[in-house]
Amino acid sequence: VIRAVISDNPKKMAINPVIRQASEGEIYYVRENTPITILLSKKTDNIETASFCTEQILPGNGIATHKHLNEDEIFHFTSGTGVFVIDDQEMTILPGTVAFVPRGIWHGLRNTSTELLIFSFGYSPAGFEDFFRQIGALKGLPFQAKSKEEIVSIARKNGMIYK
């Protein structure tokens, strides 16, 4: 990880650039076979404005329809195909697809391919990535699935509502 402090005004908060290799991210399993890698986060990097993560979703799996009350979310799909749901509209996802979802908009996705659906995503402002730390198991630790009720409760505490 490379970090440098840049500030020409001592009254301004220092800006901390971060360069992190994929292998240096925090990996949490939110399902037994669904890793999310947190690469940039409010907690770890003191970044207030944005976070950045990656995820791999197995064929047939997906993310339940939900909305964030406090964050905008952006996605970039790099491998696999699927269906992205925005409100009640379904859109096809192909490698290279980008999606921006403003806070308060229902969204979800499904992997409809026979390969992993791999994508990067982030939040603005940063902070929601802590949800994955709270529901998941850090790579190398035993995975213990949370109940649907536990996940819904943790989601609400983090400003997310499932449909």
Side-chain angles (χ1 to χ4, degrees):
V1 177
I2 295 175
R3 291 192 179 128
V5 177
I6 301 171
S7 181
D8 57 359
N9 181 345
K11 292 183 180 181
K12 281 186 172 180
M13 187 171 131
I15 300 169
N16 297 306
V18 178
I19 299 173
R20 178 169 286 121
Q21 301 299 322
S23 62
E24 298 172 324
E26 298 171 64
I27 301 172
Y28 288 86
Y29 284 84
V30 295
R31 289 189 190 142
E32 208 158 352
N33 296 311
T34 304
I36 292 179
T37 303
I38 301 173
L39 293 163
L40 299 174
S41 77
K42 182 176 181 174
K43 179 180 178 180
T44 304
D45 303 302
N46 199 31
I47 299 171
E48 296 284 331
T49 54
S51 62
F52 194 76
C53 306
T54 63
E55 185 166 354
Q56 299 177 15
I57 296 179
L58 290 170
N61 287 346
I63 299 172
T65 302
H66 63 282
K67 65 181 173 182
H68 301 275
L69 303 178
N70 305 312
E71 300 86 17
D72 298 330
E73 189 170 9
I74 192 163
F75 297 83
H76 179 241
F77 297 90
T78 56
S79 181
T81 58
V83 173
F84 199 89
V85 178
I86 298 281
D87 283 328
D88 291 326
Q89 282 190 308
E90 293 191 354
M91 311 287 262
T92 300
I93 299 166
L94 302 171
T97 299
V98 172
F100 172 74
V101 182
R103 65 195 76 189
I105 301 294
W106 294 108
H107 61 287
L109 72 99
R110 294 186 313 273
N111 180 349
T112 58
S113 70
T114 57
E115 60 183 282
L116 284 174
L117 180 60
I118 301 173
F119 58 98
S120 299
F121 64 102
Y123 301 100
S124 180
F128 184 80
E129 62 280 1
D130 278 346
F131 170 76
F132 305 117
R133 291 179 176 116
Q134 294 166 24
I135 68 163
L138 188 60
K139 182 179 180 178
L141 297 178
F143 178 79
Q144 294 181 333
K146 300 252 186 297
S147 69
K148 183 177 179 180
E149 293 77 20
E150 288 174 305
I151 292 172
V152 167
S153 175
I154 294 168
R156 284 188 186 272
K157 288 176 186 170
N158 285 277
M160 183 175 80
I161 300 168
Y162 286 101
K163 196 168 191 179

